[in-house]
Amino acid sequence: MDIGIHGVRQTAHNTPQGRLGLSVTEKRSHTQRIETAAEAIFTLCACCMVFAVGSITLYMIANGIPAIYKLGAREILFSSVWKPTAADPSFGILYVILTSVAGTVLAIFLGVPVALLTAVFLTEAAPRPLAAVVRPAIELLAGIPSVVYGLLGMLVLNPLVYRLEQWVFRGSQTHQFTGGANLLSAVLVLAIMILPTVISVSETALRAVPEQLRASSMALGASRIQTIFQIILPAARPGIVTAVVLGVGRAVGEAMAVNLVSGGCVNVPLPFCSVRFLTTAIVSEMGYAEGLHRQALFTIGLVLFGFIMLVNILLHKILREEKG
Amino acid sequence: MNCIKIETTDLNLYYGNYHALKAVTMDIRADAVTALIGPSGCGKSTFLKTINRMNDLIQGVRITGRVCLDGEEIYAPGVDVTTLRRRVGMVFQQPNPFPMSIYDNIAYGPRVHGEKNKNRLDEIVERSLRRAAIWEETKDRLKKPAPGLSGGQQQRLCIARALAVEPEVLLLDEPTSALDPVSSLRIEELLLQLKKSYTIVIVTHNMQQAVRISDDTAFFLAGTVVEWGRTGQFFSRPRDRKTMDYIAGRYG
């Protein structure tokens, strides 16, 4: 439709289908059907995820609760005697919980600084040829199955830790020697295992810091080290927090490697004690557990699940606060 | 007649094999505004960055020739780059406050140079914000995050941040090109104030801006400085044909 030179509408129309013979009101049913189908498939996939998470949660709660109900929360969560197969059985998992907490915290304290400095090195300092070696090495580290970490821990770490143990407790009458299979070994293995995650996530965060901030800091006469620690690391904080939390998640949930190097007795989490983690308790006992014992192991699973949930909620909270 | 603050002699700069600055020889007068104009990629920003050695941060840069600040060669061995950058401040095209409070943004420079005294930092922060004409807008929210300011305010904050380390020279790389016209005007007014006590070098794409605020103008083209001189003369009676074409808007 044209507007005439004096603003009078000229009512000469083309054919309603235009030049290509297509009307805008005509339904194009074939394309429409594909659109609808695609949308339905996407929705279904998303629903599967939600369903999986929901059913895991329900299942864990349904199976973890009975033991708590039968024994009482205090008896199972806050008692330290774990004798599930004794004539008069006792199901206190306090030491197991404490071991997982202590092991994770120590692994984070050891691993995160190393990981952060590695990430800083890769983004800020590494000459290109060296970075080209270090980065694939880290990716490889992430891809190694955890049981292999455990095997190497047994072969390499345990003997070293045993030597240290012999030196520390030389002449001791009371210490029960662990042969190196103890909390310290487990912490060292965990610290190494969280490195790839923490390094790559924090490296991404460091790379995302605008080049301009670095330049501005240098232009004020700050040195490179000052710029890194006072501008770049703080600017990358949300990403680094994410990295640490993911590391915590990995450390809390690790079972295989820890099972091989940590000894396996239920004990107070001290560096040279043979210890049992939440994960390793389940792995090592589920094979023969029955009745209440089995239910107690599910309770341990529920506690572990609770920790992971807590870590995730914490992460969301921190990230939201950083944004707001 | 102001004395010469910065002089470059036969300055060449290469990015790898690319010859980005070709035999640049020019003077920059103290306590005046020098505008660097020219089409994109002509080398004016590169030239600006040679004055505080920001090009050092880029790999593969090679420089020959001399750049002197108050007669001292700044590319000589043994020059302390942090002291040089303290004396020659810089403001970038994009306003880029650090992700911290307004106060900490201004105090950052003095702090990295070792100032720890709280009272003196307070003084520096207030003085710098006043000089950059942003004190009134920020004095009640010094502890608030700086990225919450508007673009124009952020840029004045960045100028205040640069002033906090007491530089003698202020380099500005298209400081208003990311701002709206009103904010730009405020920055220009600010620069006219500041030139009383600072040597200012500004890269600009806007020739009207060069006319409004600069005392001297230099025209860069393909890595060479075609012509430089007093702004009035430069625009009314350019000596070079290429300058005439450029300011007439025939290219660039």
Side-chain angles (χ1 to χ4, degrees):
Chain A
M1 183 193 300
D2 292 61
I3 306 286
I5 35 172
H6 302 296
V8 180
R9 279 174 157 186
Q10 316 263 306
T11 48
H13 284 280
N14 284 327
T15 57
Q17 284 79 28
R19 202 175 298 159
L20 295 173
L22 300 170
S23 162
V24 288
T25 53
E26 192 180 313
K27 279 256 159 59
R28 296 172 61 201
S29 55
H30 180 61
T31 328
Q32 207 106 53
R33 227 176 295 141
I34 291 177
E35 294 278 325
T36 317
E39 211 169 289
I41 291 169
F42 295 146
T43 313
L44 196 70
C45 291
C47 287
C48 280
M49 292 301 300
V50 176
F51 177 74
V53 173
S55 58
I56 288 170
T57 311
L58 279 180
Y59 188 79
M60 287 312 299
I61 291 174
N63 287 281
I65 291 293
I68 298 180
Y69 187 72
K70 279 178 205 160
L71 298 164
R74 174 183 291 218
E75 177 61 27
I76 190 162
L77 295 178
F78 298 108
S79 148
S80 56
V81 184
W82 175 258
K83 279 188 180 143
T85 51
D88 178 19
S90 165
F91 298 96
I93 61 168
L94 181 64
Y95 283 166
V96 182
I97 294 176
L98 288 180
T99 299
S100 268
V101 172
T104 303
V105 169
L106 291 175
I108 292 293
F109 268 104
L110 275 181
V112 165
V114 175
L116 261 187
L117 293 181
T118 309
V120 167
F121 171 74
L122 283 175
T123 52
E124 301 293 324
R128 225 166 272 173
L130 192 52
V133 177
V134 175
R135 200 165 293 123
I138 291 163
E139 275 156 27
L140 207 63
L141 211 57
I144 294 172
S146 62
V147 68
V148 173
Y149 280 96
L151 291 173
L152 283 174
M154 281 176 71
L155 278 174
V156 181
L157 215 53
N158 283 355
L160 287 176
V161 171
Y162 185 38
R163 226 181 284 169
L164 183 65
E165 184 182 18
Q166 282 172 321
W167 183 77
V168 171
F169 290 99
R170 63 192 180 282
S172 163
Q173 301 295 314
T174 50
H175 180 68
Q176 243 188 347
F177 282 88
T178 59
N182 51 32
L183 181 66
L184 183 58
S185 293
V187 163
L188 291 174
V189 168
L190 282 179
I192 294 169
M193 289 183 74
I194 63 167
L195 288 181
T197 317
V198 183
I199 291 171
S200 60
V201 176
S202 45
E203 192 194 342
T204 311
L206 289 172
R207 282 199 192 287
V209 175
E211 187 56 41
Q212 290 272 317
L213 290 185
R214 182 177 292 121
S216 291
S217 171
M218 301 291 277
L220 286 166
S223 70
R224 274 176 75 170
I225 298 291
Q226 285 170 330
T227 303
I228 289 169
F229 283 98
Q230 296 181 39
I231 298 296
I232 296 181
L233 283 176
R237 216 174 67 144
I240 290 170
V241 170
T242 309
V244 173
V245 171
L246 288 175
V248 170
R250 173 120 211 237
V252 171
E254 177 48 42
M256 270 335 285
V258 171
N259 198 27
L260 290 175
V261 299
S262 64
C265 304
V266 178
N267 245 326
V268 192
L270 290 172
F272 292 101
C273 283
S274 167
V275 289
R276 198 176 297 179
F277 289 71
L278 289 167
T279 48
T280 62
I282 301 171
V283 168
S284 58
E285 293 176 39
M286 196 51 101
Y288 61 86
E290 51 192 22
L292 194 54
H293 183 194
R294 197 180 141 89
Q295 287 175 334
L297 291 182
F298 273 101
T299 305
I300 293 181
L302 181 61
V303 171
L304 189 61
F305 185 73
F307 271 122
I308 296 290
M309 281 294 165
L310 200 71
V311 162
N312 274 288
I313 291 167
L314 213 67
L315 176 63
H316 275 275
K317 240 185 118 136
I318 292 168
L319 291 184
R320 201 175 312 145
E321 264 166 37
E322 295 275 348
K323 255 189 228 158
Chain B
M1 180 69 202
N2 314 37
C3 57
I4 306 299
K5 185 76 181 172
I6 298 157
E7 49 187 347
T8 69
T9 316
D10 200 20
L11 176 68
N12 286 281
L13 184 142
Y14 305 83
Y15 292 119
N17 290 323
Y18 178 66
H19 198 172
L21 288 179
K22 296 167 188 163
V24 174
T25 298
M26 68 177 276
D27 298 340
I28 290 165
R29 291 188 297 148
D31 301 340
V33 176
T34 300
L36 311 179
I37 63 169
S40 297
C42 66
K44 55 196 190 301
S45 287
T46 300
F47 175 75
L48 193 75
K49 287 183 203 149
T50 57
I51 303 174
N52 67 344
R53 291 188 55 169
M54 285 300 280
N55 286 317
D56 290 14
L57 303 181
I58 304 165
Q59 283 191 339
V61 167
R62 198 161 55 81
I63 289 170
T64 65
R66 286 155 51 86
V67 181
C68 292
L69 174 69
D70 289 330
E72 278 185 311
E73 162 78 59
I74 67 170
Y75 283 92
V79 166
D80 182 2
V81 181
T82 59
T83 309
L84 170 71
R85 293 193 184 134
R86 194 178 175 172
R87 290 177 60 188
V88 183
M90 187 164 201
V91 174
F92 297 81
Q93 178 175 2
Q94 286 292 333
N96 54 354
F98 298 135
M100 45 175 90
S101 72
I102 293 168
Y103 184 98
D104 288 337
N105 260 276
I106 309 297
Y108 177 76
R111 278 177 180 150
V112 300
H113 293 295
E115 183 60 75
K116 290 197 181 74
N117 185 302
K118 177 87 177 66
N119 291 335
R120 242 171 303 164
L121 282 173
D122 287 349
E123 267 169 47
I124 292 171
V125 168
E126 177 170 349
R127 186 175 60 225
S128 309
L129 288 169
R130 277 190 194 285
R131 277 191 202 156
I134 191 179
W135 171 250
E136 289 304 321
E137 292 146 82
T138 53
K139 65 180 178 194
D140 299 322
R141 49 198 277 211
L142 291 175
K143 297 292 171 196
K144 294 271 162 58
L149 297 169
S150 76
Q153 289 173 327
Q154 287 186 13
Q155 195 62 304
R156 275 178 283 141
L157 179 82
C158 290
I159 293 174
R161 184 174 68 189
L163 297 180
V165 295
E166 300 287 340
E168 299 149 32
V169 181
L170 203 54
L171 309 175
L172 301 111
D173 193 356
E174 298 185 41
T176 62
S177 65
L179 304 181
D180 65 90
V182 177
S183 302
S184 301
L185 210 62
R186 294 207 58 176
I187 302 269
E188 288 182 17
E189 286 164 3
L190 171 61
L191 294 179
L192 287 175
Q193 284 296 313
L194 290 175
K195 78 166 186 179
K196 291 169 193 157
S197 33
Y198 300 90
T199 303
I200 293 174
V201 188
I202 179 171
V203 167
T204 178
H205 263 298
N206 182 334
M207 273 181 280
Q208 280 76 39
Q209 185 172 63
V211 173
R212 280 195 298 266
I213 64 172
S214 72
D215 302 289
D216 296 343
T217 301
F219 172 49
F220 280 74
L221 189 64
T224 58
V225 58
V226 173
E227 182 171 346
W228 57 278
R230 297 287 186 275
T231 297
Q233 214 158 45
F234 181 95
F235 282 99
S236 56
R237 290 188 302 280
R239 289 186 302 264
D240 196 289
R241 175 79 212 203
K242 282 180 278 190
T243 313
M244 209 183 305
D245 285 348
Y246 185 70
I247 61 182
R250 277 195 271 273
Y251 63 86

